[in-house]
Amino acid sequence: MKKKHHHKKNPSLIKKWSAKLHLWFGLSVGLIVFIVSLTGTMYVFKDEIQGVLRKDVIYVKPETVTQKPMPIELLKEKISLEVNEKYPVSSVEIPLDKNKSYEFLIYEKNKKGWNYFNEVKINKLIYVNQYTGEILGIYDEKYDLFPILKSIHWSLLLKSDWGAYVVGIPVVLFIIMLITGIILWWPKNKKARKSRLSFDWKNVKTWKRKNYDLHNVLGFYVSFIALLISLTGIYFSYPWVKNVFNLTLSGALELPKEREIKSQDSLLAKNSSVYDLAVQQTKQLYPESSSFRIPLNGKNKKGKKLKSIPVTVYQKDGRFSERSFIAFDKYSGKLLSNKPHQKLSNAEKYSNANYDIHTGSYFGLFGKIIWFLAGLICTSLPATGFLIWWGKYKKQGKKTS
């Protein structure tokens, strides 16, 4: 009797093209994916690391805590004199925890700068004991590790406006690589599927096979979290991605624009305690919040003059997802509007939560740990993938020679 020869079935057209796209995109943007993944992974535990390193300045001495902090204007003037910078104090973040210090920021951008170091003129964070006026610490955030890591991750240290596109394109290609990777991994029967879910290295001696399994198995497990991280990343880069989210969640392409309210009090002389009035009312409205931020230079993020005093309230420490927004008259301190987190549209809520989802902080410490591990695997994928290709390339070269 003749022996039956079992020939391997030729891969489908979908798998053929998936393999080609996976390889081409991997070779073209693998290095950028490696850099973006590594810097993002290193950034995940920023708050926890800084919380330990800056503990002495984040918290004030217990014996200095009194019922009434010093006026904001007085603290602002004191900082301006002692720090002696030509740029004004930009904002202050006020914690609800009485044992924590106030965080004053001096931040100025150069619109003509083409890279991170040219674009950021100054970024200084000053921790102040609000009861005594003592400056506890000054940090030059422009040259600090984490802001630099963030800039590399966001724009490869290029100007933030267009640098985001330089990173965004490889991330889009990485999303296609993740999808094609899942297609290539997915076997036709359950038996083969189980073997691809774990490492079986009992009889495997070559590093090439182990490297292939690392890329194959770890790549599959991380692919779904990596897709979520990538999609939340390009949400920042491309307005059309944000528009798709907005349309899906709230039925409109764009988020509702906030109209600044101008009250009759604007005709009056400015109250010197206007910021303190805003602080008192914010604490009364949101006593359970973590902290709130007040701009002190009269400008928004784009450098435009503000008609009121907008206050951003953060409900939880280290989280941006649950935010409420208040506006006060900049002359009298009168409450003009109050928009709690609960009254925001679904699209607005998601817009606030996107950063936390991207970094894993939305899911607490457990989420950060998972995101950190996922980031490490994503960092390894370009390396293990390149080694697989290099091994095959050298093998083909030997055959042809």
Side-chain angles (χ1 to χ4, degrees):
M1 290 178 69
K2 288 184 179 180
K3 289 183 179 179
K4 291 182 179 179
H5 295 282
H6 296 278
H7 298 286
K8 286 185 178 180
K9 290 183 179 180
N10 291 326
S12 65
L13 189 64
I14 293 174
K15 285 210 170 186
K16 277 185 180 179
W17 273 103
S18 293
K20 288 180 180 180
L21 291 173
H22 197 78
L23 174 62
W24 294 341
F25 292 161
L27 291 175
S28 60
V29 299
L31 181 60
I32 295 178
V33 170
F34 176 85
I35 294 169
V36 171
S37 299
L38 179 62
T39 51
T41 304
M42 293 172 70
Y43 192 83
V44 169
F45 289 108
K46 171 205 163 228
D47 291 340
E48 287 76 8
I49 294 169
Q50 286 190 340
V52 174
L53 296 177
R54 300 182 182 183
K55 187 178 179 181
D56 292 340
V57 298
I58 290 173
Y59 291 91
V60 300
K61 291 178 181 178
E63 60 269 21
T64 64
V65 178
T66 59
Q67 290 296 319
K68 194 175 181 181
M70 290 174 65
I72 299 293
E73 278 290 354
L74 191 59
L75 291 171
K76 181 183 169 184
E77 287 175 16
K78 197 173 189 302
I79 291 166
S80 299
L81 287 170
E82 290 192 34
V83 179
N84 194 25
E85 287 289 349
K86 62 179 179 179
Y87 301 104
V89 177
S90 310
S91 63
V92 59
E93 184 162 342
I94 298 172
L96 269 288
D97 185 344
K98 290 183 178 180
N99 296 303
K100 284 188 173 182
S101 59
Y102 283 11
E103 295 178 22
F104 287 84
L105 180 69
I106 302 176
Y107 184 84
E108 196 76 28
K109 284 180 75 173
N110 173 21
K111 293 179 180 179
K112 294 180 180 179
W114 67 272
N115 63 46
Y116 166 77
F117 296 103
N118 293 139
E119 185 180 23
V120 179
K121 289 182 178 179
I122 186 170
N123 184 9
K124 282 192 176 180
L125 190 60
I126 302 116
Y127 293 85
V128 179
N129 184 327
Q130 60 270 29
Y131 306 106
T132 64
E134 179 191 0
I135 294 178
L136 304 174
I138 302 172
Y139 292 86
D140 193 345
E141 299 285 275
K142 179 178 177 177
Y143 299 103
D144 190 72
L145 174 64
F146 288 109
I148 291 173
L149 283 175
K150 187 178 180 181
S151 180
I152 297 171
H153 182 77
W154 171 258
S155 63
L156 297 180
L157 287 178
L158 299 171
K159 184 177 173 66
S160 58
D161 291 346
W162 53 268
Y165 289 92
V166 176
V167 171
I169 292 168
V171 173
V172 171
L173 297 182
F174 182 58
I175 290 171
I176 297 171
M177 287 167 62
L178 290 169
I179 295 168
T180 53
I182 293 169
I183 292 169
L184 292 170
W185 177 92
W186 205 272
K188 290 185 177 180
N189 57 70
K190 289 182 179 180
K191 189 177 180 181
R193 194 178 303 160
K194 285 182 180 179
S195 66
R196 295 188 187 184
L197 289 169
S198 59
F199 301 106
D200 186 9
W201 289 345
K202 287 181 182 179
N203 301 316
V204 176
K205 294 181 180 179
T206 62
W207 70 267
K208 286 183 180 180
R209 179 65 197 183
K210 289 180 179 179
N211 178 71
Y212 176 82
D213 286 347
L214 283 171
H215 188 81
N216 205 29
V217 177
L218 293 179
F220 172 74
Y221 280 117
V222 81
S223 56
F224 298 99
I225 294 176
L227 277 171
L228 180 59
I229 294 171
S230 301
L231 286 169
T232 52
I234 60 172
Y235 179 93
F236 293 116
S237 300
Y238 299 111
W240 63 267
V241 175
K242 187 178 286 189
N243 291 343
V244 170
F245 274 82
N246 294 340
L247 187 64
T248 305
L249 294 168
S250 295
L253 283 174
E254 295 184 1
L255 296 173
K257 291 181 180 179
E258 290 293 326
R259 291 183 179 179
E260 286 193 278
I261 305 167
K262 196 173 181 180
S263 73
Q264 293 179 351
D265 293 350
S266 299
L267 300 171
L268 304 173
K270 186 174 180 178
N271 188 329
S272 59
S273 303
V274 65
Y275 291 119
D276 300 303
L277 290 170
V279 169
Q280 291 169 15
Q281 292 178 80
T282 302
K283 286 181 177 180
Q284 289 172 0
L285 288 167
Y286 295 95
E288 301 300 319
S289 63
S290 170
S291 64
F292 53 93
R293 183 179 290 273
I294 303 175
L296 300 177
N297 60 355
K299 297 178 182 179
N300 62 15
K301 289 181 179 179
K302 294 181 179 179
K304 291 183 179 180
K305 193 175 180 181
L306 291 167
K307 294 178 182 177
S308 60
I309 301 174
V311 178
T312 305
V313 183
Y314 305 103
Q315 202 62 39
K316 295 181 180 178
D317 192 27
R319 293 266 294 271
F320 296 95
S321 51
E322 293 182 28
R323 273 183 274 179
S324 301
F325 303 93
I326 319 172
F328 298 95
D329 185 275
K330 66 180 183 180
Y331 295 95
S332 67
K334 178 183 176 182
L335 178 66
L336 300 178
S337 67
N338 177 21
K339 197 172 184 181
H341 168 76
Q342 293 81 1
K343 290 187 178 180
L344 299 177
S345 67
N346 290 331
E348 287 175 307
K349 286 178 181 177
Y350 180 80
S351 179
N352 292 340
N354 187 75
Y355 177 85
D356 289 342
I357 296 171
H358 185 67
T359 59
S361 59
Y362 186 84
F363 309 101
L365 182 61
F366 176 75
K368 282 193 169 188
I369 294 169
I370 297 297
W371 258 235
F372 177 80
L373 295 174
L376 286 178
I377 296 171
C378 286
T379 305
S380 74
L381 291 178
T384 54
F386 177 80
L387 289 173
I388 292 169
W389 171 80
W390 185 248
K392 289 180 180 179
Y393 178 77
K394 285 179 71 179
K395 193 176 181 181
Q396 287 173 356
K398 285 180 181 180
K399 284 181 180 180
T400 55
S401 61

